[in-house]
Amino acid sequence: MTTGSSTPGRGHCGRFRPLGVSRREMLSSCLSGFGAVAASALIGDRAFGGSDSVGDVRSGIPHHPARARNVIFLYMDGGPSQMDTFDPKPRLSAEHGEPFAMQVERTQFNNNGNTFGGPWAFAPGGSCGTPVSDLFPHVRQLADELLVVRSMTSRFSEHTNANYFLHTGAGLAGRPSMGAWTSYGLGSASQDLPAFMVVNGGLIPPGGMECFGSGFLPASTQGSILLPHGDGIANVGSRETDAGAQRRKRGLLASLDEEFAEAVGRDDAVESAIRNWELAYGMQTSVPELMDLSGETPETLALYGVDSTYVPTATYARQCLLARRLVERGVRFIELTCPGTGNDRWDQHNGLIKGHEQNARAVDQPIAALLTDLRRRGLLDETLVVWAGEFGRTPFAQGSDGRDHNPFGFSIWMAGGGVRGGTIYGATDEYGYKAVDRPVEIHDLHATMLHLLGVDHKRLVHRFGGRDMRLTDVHGHVIRDWIA
Amino acid sequence: MSGVCWPASAAPPVDYGRDIRPILAARCFTCHGPDASSREADLRLDDPHDAFRDRGDGIVAIAAGDPHASEMIFRMRSDDPELRMPSEGQPVPEAEIALIERWIEEGATYNEAWSWRPIEAPAPPTVEDEAWVRDPLDRFVLASLEEAGLEPAPPADPRTLLRRTSYAIVGLPPSPGALDRFERDPSPQAFANEVDRLLASPAFGERWGRHWLDLVRYAETYGHEFDYAIPHAWRYRDAVIRAFNADVPYDRFVIEHLAGDLVDEPRIDPVSGLDESRTLTGFWWLSQGTHAPVDVALDEAERIDNQIDVLGKAFMGLTTACARCHDHKFDAISQADYYGLSAHLKQSRRAVVEMDPGGVIEAARMKALSDRRVVEDSIIARAVLTAAADGDPAPNREGDDPDTFEDFVEPMPIGYRATGQAFARGSDERPRLERRDGGVAMSPPTVATSRAAGEPFAGTLRSPSQAIDRRYLHQRVRGRGSLRVIVDGYHLDERNALLFEGFIRNIDSPDEFAVVTHDLGRYLGRRMHVEWKDPGPGFIEVDWMLASDDPTPPQQDAPESTVAALTGAAVDALGETSIDVPAPVSVLAIEPGTSWTEHVRLRGDPHARGDAVSPGHIESLDGAVAPPGDRLALAQRLVSPEHPLTSRVMANRIWHHLFGRGLVPTVDDFGALGSPPANPPLLDHLADRLRQDWSVKNLVRDIVLSSTFAMSIEGDPRAASIDPLNTLPHRANLRRLDAESIRDSMVMLAGRFDPHLGGPSVPIHLTEFMTGRGRPGASGPIDGHGRRSVYLEVRRNFPDPFLQAFDLPVPTTTVGRRTGSNVPSQGLAMLNSPLVHELSAAWGERIAQMPGSTNARIARMFEEAYGRTPSRSEIDRCTAFIESASQAGGSDSAAWGELAHVLLNGKEFLFLR
């Protein structure tokens, strides 16, 4: 790992005064740049946890050889229908319009109609033949990259709880997001970008920013919002109207800060703050550079659909392209939120056909392009791509033409980053209602994601409120069958 | 507890709370712990009396001092599957057995965690350097330093000390005048005068009130999907600020939080006339709120979990909510304790109460009642209607289970409660005459009515709670107002009715009674009560209420008003009475509800009932005395001088805020997993002082005037190995200013500061990065109208990005110690945010307009922002900067604005020495 350009030749770590050995070991092991700053925030928290377990845990990372360095989480807000995407159910179509044959659990709206056969045809994709519906023709071509999990379950059937659960492993706000845990555990490989970035297509999920929050972890681990247009990051654009003003200000500030740092005995907090200001200056350059797509070839732009006439596709294309650029820059965890299509996310309580078609249209081509582009640049093997909503949808109708929330069994997929592509894991019943073969919990997904990153989910802990907290709480199993 | 700190080499004795309890909790308590329902062999290992008991044939589980005679050790090591304990699962690892053995050898003392032990009033120790001692607390600090072989840091220079003190007490920078004054006369008396001046400033309450708001997860919206507003939350915030300013004794402050609705003599704010005691109970209701919960019982369990979490952490420093699903693994808090606390909340209600500042509404009501009585009497005296008013009330229902029926023979039947002034309290407030159909009509004699004194009064009537055992609830009502059914305390249907469709009904039928039916089929078995609300203009009258399995309300001839063809002046006087009634002030508060049997919930699952529990307390803290019957008794236990936690936790919080690090660094966790105090006698000394008069201001004052507080940051070099974290402490901690202090200082330097106290919050300034559901329709001013940060709106889903960057906590639960993050977004905010640019420019403009030389202006800026005069070199560099900036073509004030921007970005502004 290289060191920051503003302190050529040495990492930040060496300047910490002796404050306790384990933490120093953790710091000097790998961190620099942004990661060092995150770590310095931790230094400030030292011993407030009541023990030194945190440092010991982090110093051991990776706990085992990592299969992935980065995660791109394609969050499908609102809950896509499994029966209409990756889990074909012929019997559902056969019994379309008939009373639903299984016992129905209470749903959010409890306005349950008859069996609702999927409106879309399925076809096998790739050489593996994994069936994918006509909603995802582009992704279907890459079926050999996909590990489709058809037996995912959630514990919540309401968006906000389920979103918190999917993102943080708990159904209420206040826990750190999986991106925050990743950033906490691994630090950043980037000099001038945060370790956890959320490329916001427009739809912040129900539950708000807490879905990307750091909870009780240091604030430096929280997701930073990047917009796929304009400046990208808040306050990253200099407001100086006079070109010399920033140089002038920076010069005076540096001299005042240097004297202050000296006057306070080169205190860590002050030194870190000075370094953060340097990083902030750096981001004024690095973020515009990140956002500038002019260096991408016309072929690449077309592959993603950046100029698509369908605006949500163009937006998501920029998000996916930015995700690749963020991976290239060492950002650990990148989450993409959905662009609005005017259909209330994937949450089709009614108007399933129009809503799902438009939502799929927005993301299908960009996602396929992202997988293709990562593959051809040699980045897919070290980047874990996860596609998931907070729950699935019911195989019976809500009203006449919608589907209600269904946490009992739904599909997600993963690609790259050490997962076994071209395979299908688990199954729902004949109607796609409930997971029956090898049901999987969100905790298992989290445990396996961390595992692929070289982290033992049971050992990535942070003491808070009297407990050693984990992303997986007291749950979670690594699913070995998912790993190539 | 005797020594100041353990000698580094000696192994401390095995400690039950720290070492043994966690093992027993993990290995043994499931069958041999506090839970009677799962107990095996009638053996409790958590209770020494039982563990030491002779179980026949001289067998004892634990023989204190003799591990070999302890059956427990024998059983844990046994190879015989019939004997080996635990009987199922893995054997206990040898290392753990060895530790238990050592503990038994050392006497098997069941000392609970240090924080459970009684607060002692330790005598201040003698010290070598008597001259250093200004306050008795200094003796405790100095004794520990002398023992550790450390020198206390020299005192900070006067300007540094005053800047530190000013931020600590009021969260604002000292004025250049005050700095000059104190530098010229840095005597202890002069310092005491400055401290007293700061403590007397209303800014004290804003600063320390904000500290408190962190503990009660203060917010003004519910977060979640739509971020709905929490009604009237800011009134709680203002009451907190006023309480700190008035130095309301902390014990009283605690009682009012828990049970301000039950105190004998509520505390009335002399200015507003509002009931402060009741307003402080609003903290109970500041949690997140979920709309449309599919499982309302689970939703209530989560709400109560958060309430108990805040109750435990904020007041007792205990992670009580850990006991929701199981007995606390490390602290002596049982699941029964948790549900005993839960019971208090299930028999309380969230209420938006109609307050009557100064009792003016009540006076108007009394007058209206008596005026009306005169008029009515004159009519009734004509003996026209008396006959109708006599006699028993007519039966007005079909036969049904009387338990599910209320016919309002009394206007306020047992278990019913009203807030506000509208609802009649006694039978003498009925019947009521009204003009109708060209004559006079009399209200039905047996109704609950909110217009006994006339229609302008507002109020709410609440029924007792009952289990929903019939699908339908019918009630016969009339008026102009609303009524609602509340299930398991769930109230957000007032913002989003999903899953509770039709639970809230507006009534607009002033003359004719109509039957309103609620279909409660979805909530059979749940707990419910009914609320009738008279919004002020308007009224509500309820004739009867009936729970039934029949969707059709009973057909019956209810007594209609008797109309008599009367006319005349008296009858005319019955008409529109134009009484001038001030509007009540709405405040979110807690109200007593109906006594309710709570149960332990197995694994925390609200649908898995265990044993019944009464409203209770934490048994291990409060001993075997009878559990408190109500919240007031619970609160009184909490502030009893014998309570080991309340005063310790608060004294530690005060120390934490003044020094940047608590004596117990885990300020919200005084349990076994928290950090023990670095200097236990000092903490007890402070706790003992606090519980003498419970005055927060006195303790702040005493600590600030100590030699300990006055130390500089320049530490003894030997401390790097002896006390690297400065726990004793031997020097001051260098700290970054908190979010509010940074913003408030900038606003002050900019000359925009509005010292006005309290009131509705200033809307948040929205940026393009703040999107999502519930986004406010309009953005607030960039500079927040110059109000202090504590008055900026706290929206859960739209936190102020500037304050958030500097660690304004996420309001989910108690945060006694904020994160001290150090991230580039702070740099970006200071360099490029519109807020900092606007305020820098304003500060520059103010400086540019000041008379005096460039040097004098630069000096002024350093004094305002850094609390010191600049060096010659700094003046030279700043002068060169101003010249260069002016040459770049900007105006004079723009050049000064640029310098202002640099100085605000200086770390010396952001950090406190």
Side-chain angles (χ1 to χ4, degrees), chain B residues 322-339:
Chain B
C322 286
R324 173 177 163 193
C325 306
H326 50 72
D327 293 337
H328 200 292
K329 286 208 163 69
F330 299 97
D331 299 330
I333 306 167
S334 73
Q335 216 184 343
D337 290 340
Y338 176 92
Y339 287 97

Side-chain angles (χ1 to χ4, degrees), chain A residues 93-438:
Chain A
S93 303
E95 295 178 18
H96 178 78
E98 295 175 20
F100 191 64
M102 293 175 66
Q103 167 84 32
V104 171
E105 308 278 348
R106 184 155 67 181
T107 61
Q108 170 108 45
F109 288 85
N110 238 11
N111 171 25
N112 302 322
N114 291 329
T115 307
F116 188 8
W120 294 278
F122 277 74
S127 57
C128 63
T130 295
V132 178
S133 88
D134 287 351
L135 281 174
F136 285 100
H138 291 87
V139 170
R140 180 160 60 206
Q141 292 172 27
L142 297 162
D144 290 343
E145 302 284 10
L146 308 187
L147 163 74
V148 174
V149 177
R150 288 180 176 169
S151 54
M152 184 53 69
T153 63
S154 175
R155 294 186 183 184
F156 298 92
S157 61
E158 184 278 328
H159 292 292
T160 305
N161 295 128
N163 282 338
Y164 289 143
F165 189 50
L166 172 62
H167 282 86
T168 73
L172 285 175
R175 296 286 186 97
S177 185
M178 48 182 159
W181 280 108
T182 305
S183 143
Y184 179 66
L186 300 180
S188 178
S190 172
Q191 298 305 312
D192 43 23
L193 290 168
F196 174 21
M197 300 201 72
V198 179
V199 189
N200 180 18
L203 298 179
I204 293 291
M209 301 299 292
E210 275 302 287
C211 290
F212 321 121
S214 51
F216 39 74
L217 296 178
S220 51
T221 61
Q222 73 207 9
S224 296
I225 297 284
L226 181 75
L227 297 183
H229 50 75
D231 284 350
I233 285 184
N235 297 320
V236 85
S238 171
R239 287 179 186 276
E240 305 301 346
T241 46
D242 160 17
Q246 178 155 311
R247 198 175 53 246
R248 192 159 60 232
K249 288 181 177 180
R250 200 171 169 177
L252 178 59
L253 179 60
S255 82
L256 294 175
D257 278 352
E258 172 58 25
E259 285 173 7
F260 179 64
E262 195 58 45
V264 296
R266 310 220 75 88
D267 184 278
D268 293 330
V270 172
E271 296 263 80
S272 292
I274 291 171
R275 171 110 179 99
N276 275 329
W277 258 248
E278 291 299 317
L279 281 166
Y281 281 122
M283 286 169 73
Q284 295 182 168
T285 313
S286 66
V287 174
E289 187 275 328
L290 168 76
M291 300 298 295
D292 177 10
L293 304 183
S294 63
E296 300 287 343
T297 66
E299 184 272 337
T300 299
L301 296 173
L303 182 70
Y304 281 86
V306 167
D307 296 321
S308 171
T309 52
Y310 186 56
V311 173
T313 304
T315 301
Y316 206 68
R318 290 183 70 90
Q319 292 175 256
C320 283
L321 183 49
L322 285 168
R324 190 213 78 207
R325 292 170 67 89
L326 288 168
V327 163
E328 288 171 332
R329 284 157 180 77
V331 174
R332 289 281 182 200
F333 197 104
I334 300 141
E335 174 162 353
L336 269 52
T337 64
C338 286
T341 59
N343 288 289
D344 202 5
R345 307 159 203 263
W346 284 92
D347 193 26
Q348 267 73 72
H349 290 281
N350 53 50
L352 176 77
I353 295 180
K354 172 171 162 280
H356 265 41
E357 266 176 9
Q358 293 188 341
N359 283 317
R361 185 181 171 196
V363 302
D364 177 43
Q365 181 190 347
I367 289 173
L370 175 63
L371 295 178
T372 304
D373 204 16
L374 288 172
R375 170 61 72 206
R376 70 188 181 183
R377 287 167 195 261
L379 293 169
L380 189 55
D381 286 335
E382 61 188 53
T383 303
L384 175 64
V385 181
V386 180
W387 180 97
E390 66 269 36
F391 38 55
R393 309 207 75 82
T394 53
F396 44 84
Q398 177 181 354
S400 61
D401 63 348
R403 296 191 190 276
D404 207 335
H405 307 162
N406 178 13
F408 306 110
F410 58 102
S411 298
I412 68 163
W413 59 255
M414 283 173 271
V419 303
R420 190 175 287 177
T423 56
I424 296 168
Y425 181 93
T428 51
D429 55 54
E430 289 175 286
Y431 298 95
Y433 187 26
K434 294 181 176 180
V436 291
D437 173 31
R438 291 169 289 168

Side-chain angles (χ1 to χ4, degrees), chain B residues 329-387:
Chain B
K329 286 208 163 69
F330 299 97
D331 299 330
I333 306 167
S334 73
Q335 216 184 343
D337 290 340
Y338 176 92
Y339 287 97
L341 295 171
S342 170
H344 285 292
L345 291 159
K346 285 201 174 169
Q347 58 183 38
S348 301
R349 269 83 174 271
R350 173 188 180 279
V352 174
V353 301
E354 304 86 351
M355 273 193 193
D356 176 11
V360 289
I361 305 176
E362 178 62 14
R365 188 181 84 97
M366 295 311 289
K367 178 166 188 314
L369 271 176
S370 105
D371 289 354
R372 172 166 285 278
R373 188 71 37 79
V374 170
V375 174
E376 290 188 343
D377 283 353
S378 78
I379 298 170
I380 292 170
R382 286 149 73 184
V384 177
L385 294 166
T386 43

Side-chain angles (χ1 to χ4, degrees), chain B residues 210 214 739-740 794 799-800 802-810 818:
Chain B
R210 182 59 249 189
D214 285 4
E740 292 89 345
V794 184
D800 180 276
F802 184 86
L803 299 180
Q804 191 187 30
F806 288 99
D807 302 312
L808 181 74
V810 177
R818 291 187 179 184

Side-chain angles (χ1 to χ4, degrees), chain B residues 278 352-357 360-362 364-365 368 412 417-425 429 449-462 480-482 532-540 579-587:
Chain B
R278 209 175 223 205
V352 174
V353 301
E354 304 86 351
M355 273 193 193
D356 176 11
V360 289
I361 305 176
E362 178 62 14
R365 188 181 84 97
M412 193 71 72
R417 285 182 62 93
T419 53
Q421 260 65 37
F423 282 90
R425 289 88 191 265
E429 294 177 24
T449 180
S450 76
R451 60 167 171 177
E455 297 192 8
F457 298 94
T460 307
L461 176 68
R462 294 177 176 83
R480 286 191 309 272
S482 62
W532 297 269
K533 193 167 192 65
D534 172 349
F539 69 98
I540 287 277
I579 339 168
D580 194 14
V581 178
V585 174
S586 294
V587 174

